[in-house]
Amino acid sequence: MGIVLLKSIYGLSGQKTNQPSAISLDELGVKQGLSQGMINCVFQDKEGYIWIATKNGLNRYNGYSITTFRHDPNDPFSLPDNYCNSVAEDGKGNLWIGTNTKGLFVFNKKTEKFYTISLINIEQNNLFIKKLEQVNGKLYVETSKNVFMLSID
């Protein structure tokens, strides 16, 4: 199991051509370096990187290779929970990661460090982040019980 990425399209609609459109697809799965086949979210950031949230790490695909971010008990700035559910990006280019058991984290792409975001009024047993969505400087965080809005820009 994996994902299929659309690599390029020729003969775009609106162009007059007698040739059928050709689509080049690349499969991206465990054989190509993806950390796990169960994919919870696929997100493309402003730089064009593809971020893939799985139950065994956060993967960054640059079009050629995959870098996987996982929890390292010896690194306090590593990904705190390998089970990632959602990814969003703010206006400053930081990535927001929703996890299965540890809550919400922000990832600084320049330093490649993860930082814990403490959510006030969220029960410790409700740290399952289902979905993230950034809209106009606000981050909407969906947990298993509620939806919260954070101002992030």
Side-chain angles (χ1 to χ4, degrees):
M1 174 123 350
I3 61 174
V4 177
L5 298 175
L6 178 65
K7 191 137 185 176
S8 59
I9 300 175
Y10 302 97
L12 299 172
S13 62
Q15 294 179 345
K16 293 183 180 182
T17 178
N18 292 332
Q19 300 292 326
S21 297
I23 299 174
S24 174
L25 301 174
D26 284 342
E27 182 176 346
L28 191 58
V30 175
K31 288 182 182 179
Q32 292 77 25
L34 197 60
S35 65
Q36 218 277 333
M38 184 175 157
I39 297 166
N40 297 319
C41 177
V42 178
F43 179 82
Q44 184 172 15
D45 70 14
K46 295 174 186 172
E47 288 88 27
Y49 291 105
I50 305 292
W51 295 87
I52 305 159
T54 74
K55 71 177 193 175
N56 190 21
L58 179 65
N59 299 264
R60 178 180 63 202
Y61 180 62
N62 64 8
Y64 302 99
S65 62
I66 297 171
T67 301
T68 301
F69 298 91
R70 288 191 180 100
H71 177 65
D72 177 353
N74 298 317
D75 181 357
F77 298 104
S78 71
L79 181 65
D81 185 357
N82 288 335
Y83 202 133
C84 299
N85 292 318
S86 189
V87 181
E89 184 176 28
D90 65 26
K92 297 175 185 170
N94 296 308
L95 285 184
W96 295 77
I97 314 301
T99 66
N100 201 52
T101 62
K102 304 286 187 193
L104 181 64
F105 298 89
V106 66
F107 178 67
N108 183 310
K109 290 187 278 185
K110 292 178 183 161
T111 63
E112 295 194 346
K113 292 182 178 181
F114 292 86
Y115 298 92
T116 302
I117 303 300
S118 296
L119 299 173
I120 299 171
N121 298 329
I122 292 190
E123 302 167 23
Q124 289 300 313
N125 61 354
N126 189 25
L127 294 177
F128 172 66
I129 307 294
K130 287 174 68 173
K131 185 176 179 185
L132 300 172
E133 188 160 343
Q134 190 277 129
V135 179
N136 298 325
K138 307 234 183 292
L139 182 69
Y140 293 88
V141 180
E142 181 183 348
T143 70
S144 58
K145 297 181 182 180
N146 301 306
V147 175
F148 298 91
M149 181 191 68
L150 305 171
S151 293
I152 56 176
D153 284 342

